[in-house]
Amino acid sequence: MAFLADALSRVKPSATIAVSQKARELKAKGRDVIGLGAGEPDFDTPDNIKAAAVAAIERGETKYTPVSGIPELREAIVRKFKRENNLEYTAAQTIVGTGGKQILFNAFMATLNPGDEVIIPAPYWVSYPEMVALCGGTPVFVATTQENNFKLTPEALEKAITPKTKWFVFNSPSNPSGAAYSHAELKALTDVLVKHDQVWILTDDMYEHLTYGDFKFATPVEVEPKLYDRTLTMNGVSKAYAMTGWRIGYAAGPLALIKAMDMIQGQQTSGACSIAQWAAVEALNGPQDFIPENKKIFEGRRDLVVSMLNQAKGIACPSPEGAFYVYPSCKGLIGKTAPSGKVIETDEDFVSELLESEGVAVVHGSAFGLGPNFRISYATSEELLEEACKRIQRFCAACK
Ligand SMILES: Cc1ncc(COP(=O)(O)O)c(C=O)c1O
């Protein structure tokens, strides 16, 4: 009898964690390494949110909470969806989890049976396929193209749908590409989805508040209300409120699905951390003015990185609408010889040679299902970004 579960053979370790680990090891050996792999804002959690957590501790809010979340947070989520997305939900239709990650996992756990297919546009956030596989489903990848700014076309979506399709995973703005769908682009996809009753939509709106210029965020049910009864709208405080460590995510959707997710969570972690939930109440109900301030900073960094990368020989970098990632192509470097003498055959070779040669840690695109590209997280200071981009330019120029 094997000790480890068969399910483990279906999952891979996270490539983003592996890159951070390698960067840490090189740093420990005394190398000067700039890590652009992390998927979290470098800003601190705003003071009013921290104060709400301290007040919660002092009030003794330190006990188990209801599985789906404290009523105050579920009400704040209802108001958030109304205020920002024009969506109507009752508190009973919401659920709070330990990060957006738990919400996604429990949604798959609650619904997937062997043979069920989940459509995931590539490039994708690394955890979607692994979660689907762990829960016994089959990920179905649909490639996008850099020419179409990494956005799925309605034709490609239509072609991927089968009678076995249970979920379509939608993530805009996207990790890793930063691509965000306009209302019209999303409507073209929802027009396909309304025709296929068996397909549920799992929309991961985690980067909603990080869009730039005059881009306007849209979420599937807002664009196509007919999808209300088969959409789970997921969001969280991690990215918008610089609260990655607090571990609060949430979702709203049809009652039967929320109840099923509640049941799983009740046998798993129970309610999310009580103190973090009170902090999230303040995040959603309190002043929102630092969001546009942070956006301005991110936008400046995006413009800097895109412009400097496009000056690197062999790199082509589109300027995405949102998140804090860019996803340039390194196609122009494939077949070239790195300063170490190694021929760059894949994007993975490119990132490992870049790390060895110039001490810049980025993540290869094939880890996100589409290459030859690489992901840069620009959630770090302009000074470090400028230095990192200079090193990338130098590395590319040195590849012959
Ligand atoms: C697209 C996407 N969805 C979900 C998550 C998970 O967020 P959380 O920190 O709330 O678990 C992340 C975090 O990196 C993400 O990039």
Side-chain angles (χ1 to χ4, degrees):
M1 184 173 69
F3 177 60
L4 294 179
D6 293 347
L8 277 189
S9 65
R10 299 196 292 264
V11 292
K12 295 192 296 288
S14 160
T16 45
I17 292 174
V19 166
S20 306
Q21 180 59 26
K22 177 133 193 239
R24 259 196 304 272
E25 281 165 19
L26 285 175
K27 259 188 192 162
K29 285 189 199 153
R31 284 281 309 272
D32 163 27
V33 175
I34 304 177
L36 303 179
E40 62 182 350
D42 52 323
F43 309 124
D44 197 7
T45 304
D47 287 342
N48 62 311
I49 298 174
K50 289 188 195 169
V54 172
I57 294 174
E58 284 171 351
R59 279 200 314 277
E61 307 279 5
T62 54
K63 305 283 194 269
Y64 289 133
T65 75
V67 173
S68 285
I70 54 174
E72 290 81 357
L73 180 52
R74 295 176 86 187
E75 287 299 340
I77 292 164
V78 167
R79 280 195 294 277
K80 177 260 177 271
F81 279 124
K82 180 76 200 143
R83 176 179 75 235
E84 295 180 347
N85 311 107
N86 201 24
L87 299 180
E88 298 278 355
Y89 289 106
T90 62
Q93 284 179 285
T94 66
I95 186 164
V96 177
T98 301
K101 226 171 190 172
Q102 189 184 26
I103 297 284
L104 293 167
F105 191 93
N106 288 355
F108 290 135
M109 191 75 192
T111 55
L112 291 179
N113 289 312
D116 288 348
E117 295 175 357
V118 179
I119 296 178
I120 303 173
Y124 46 74
W125 180 47
V126 288
S127 294
Y128 299 136
E130 310 307 324
M131 287 181 182
V132 168
L134 263 179
C135 295
T138 306
V140 174
F141 304 115
V142 188
T144 61
T145 61
Q146 184 151 337
E147 295 66 47
N148 201 35
N149 294 315
F150 306 109
K151 291 181 200 177
L152 185 67
T153 61
E155 296 77 23
L157 173 61
E158 180 80 64
K159 225 168 119 194
I161 294 174
T162 76
K164 289 185 181 165
T165 307
K166 183 157 274 172
W167 287 102
F168 166 59
V169 176
F170 181 71
N171 175 218
S172 164
S174 152
N175 175 5
S177 71
Y181 292 68
S182 68
H183 190 285
E185 286 164 339
L186 181 50
K187 180 75 171 63
L189 297 183
T190 59
D191 283 349
V192 173
L193 294 162
V194 284
K195 294 189 286 182
H196 300 275
D197 288 346
Q198 81 281 20
V199 182
W200 281 62
I201 296 88
L202 207 173
T203 178
D204 177 343
D205 297 353
M206 198 51 99
Y207 295 91
E208 165 178 11
H209 288 298
L210 299 176
T211 61
Y212 310 119
D214 51 12
F215 183 87
K216 217 177 146 339
F217 172 83
T219 190
V221 182
E222 182 188 19
V223 167
E224 181 46 88
K226 287 189 201 126
L227 294 173
Y228 184 87
D229 289 331
R230 49 187 171 102
T231 298
L232 185 70
T233 302
M234 184 278 248
N235 210 317
V237 295
S238 292
K239 316 285 174 171
Y241 300 93
M243 291 176 72
T244 46
W246 299 76
R247 310 308 302 129
I248 296 291
Y250 58 85
L255 203 51
L257 172 62
I258 298 295
K259 278 189 176 159
M261 291 165 64
D262 173 277
M263 197 180 64
I264 291 169
Q265 198 167 302
Q267 297 296 6
Q268 187 191 45
T269 50
S270 301
C273 166
S274 59
I275 299 150
Q277 288 192 61
W278 282 102
V281 170
E282 174 63 17
L284 295 182
N285 288 347
Q288 305 289 310
D289 34 315
F290 71 95
I291 292 180
E293 287 163 22
N294 287 358
K295 266 170 66 148
K296 265 254 108 14
I297 296 171
F298 276 133
E299 187 169 354
R301 292 173 179 177
R302 176 200 61 174
D303 293 344
L304 169 79
V305 169
V306 168
S307 143
M308 287 189 76
L309 288 176
N310 280 321
Q311 292 165 45
K313 223 169 120 196
I315 303 285
C317 185
S319 181
E321 296 87 351
F324 39 69
Y325 309 105
V326 291
Y327 200 65
S329 160
C330 55
K331 204 167 164 187
L333 278 305
I334 303 293
K336 299 248 152 84
T337 305
S340 70
K342 187 174 169 24
V343 177
I344 298 171
E345 284 169 3
T346 61
D347 52 18
E348 197 163 358
D349 290 344
F350 172 81
V351 306
S352 75
E353 288 301 311
L354 176 65
L355 181 57
E356 285 298 332
S357 174
E358 290 286 353
V360 177
V362 299
V363 188
H364 50 287
S366 43
F368 305 99
L370 197 92
N373 288 68
F374 60 101
R375 187 192 79 172
I376 285 186
S377 161
Y378 54 83
T380 193
S381 71
E382 275 205 19
E383 206 184 341
L384 275 182
L385 290 169
E386 203 169 331
E387 172 62 21
C389 289
K390 273 191 200 149
R391 294 187 192 185
I392 294 173
Q393 290 176 352
R394 194 162 61 206
F395 174 75
C396 294
C399 291
K400 300 287 174 206

